Amino acid sequence: MKKQNNKTALVYAVDLLAVRAYSEKQLADKLKRRGYDEAEIATAMEKLLNRRYIDDNDLCQRQYTAYINEQKRSIKAILYKLKEKGFSSADIENAQIKCDIDTDNYEYRTCMKLLAAHFRRTADRQKCQAYLYRKGFNFSAIRNAVDDFLNEI
């Protein structure tokens, strides 16, 4: 592939990182799509790691915390999203340990929030449960949230 400009992979990567943080995998993928060869990408990534421009552990922790604070996704969906972004299982596990939340309570509160945003109190129980199940919430959180949501007046 031909490069689209005269920038080296390192300079282009730094330009990207100046805008927002990327995981190591995301950044390498962007450089590959841009047309840089494997050797140049490896050299650039090594320099960025040595200078601590890329820190997957810290970025994973921040992303996990941001997703938890959004309260829009189940824990399963958050873990999938982080894995999709290229974080290692160890980084994801570290983020979960550092965040240390009550996952059952989090999932219940998030289910309640989503139900209130998407359904009326007169909604069909099956539809509510199916919606939350597709989002990846655990069954006990779904059952408790749907019961409480539909029984509130």
Side-chain angles (χ1 to χ4, degrees), residues 7-144:
K7 291 182 180 180
T8 65
L10 179 62
V11 171
Y12 183 65
V14 170
D15 288 349
L16 289 172
L17 290 169
V19 176
R20 74 171 186 91
Y22 289 90
S23 71
E24 191 174 343
K25 180 186 179 301
Q26 286 176 316
L27 193 56
D29 288 348
K30 276 196 165 288
L31 294 174
K32 284 177 194 168
R33 282 193 304 271
R34 187 68 176 212
Y36 294 102
D37 64 33
E38 295 290 331
E40 188 176 5
I41 292 171
T43 303
M45 297 303 285
E46 184 179 332
K47 287 181 181 180
L48 292 170
L49 286 167
N50 289 339
R51 294 177 184 167
R52 297 182 191 236
Y53 283 26
I54 302 173
D55 184 357
D56 277 2
N57 192 25
D58 179 58
L59 180 58
C60 184
Q61 171 66 46
R62 288 187 287 134
Q63 284 284 190
Y64 184 81
T65 304
Y67 289 144
I68 291 291
N69 291 337
E70 277 180 343
Q71 285 189 332
K72 292 183 180 179
R73 295 177 173 91
S74 66
I75 298 293
K76 185 189 287 186
I78 291 171
L79 299 179
Y80 179 80
K81 188 86 168 157
L82 292 173
K83 195 71 165 168
E84 189 178 63
K85 288 181 179 252
F87 295 111
S88 70
S89 297
D91 289 338
I92 294 170
E93 194 174 310
N94 269 348
Q96 281 184 289
I97 291 168
K98 286 181 183 176
C99 198
D100 190 33
I101 61 163
D102 178 6
T103 57
D104 293 333
N105 186 36
Y106 166 80
E107 291 221 337
Y108 171 79
R109 285 184 291 113
T110 306
C111 283
M112 289 296 286
K113 184 177 175 181
L114 290 173
L115 287 170
H118 295 283
F119 294 96
R120 293 185 180 165
R121 302 268 181 216
T122 58
D124 180 51
R125 176 178 301 280
Q126 295 287 339
K127 286 184 180 181
C128 294
Q129 289 176 338
Y131 172 77
L132 294 172
Y133 186 75
R134 285 190 307 271
K135 296 275 188 191
F137 290 97
N138 70 49
F139 183 73
S140 64
I142 292 171
R143 189 185 65 241
N144 293 336

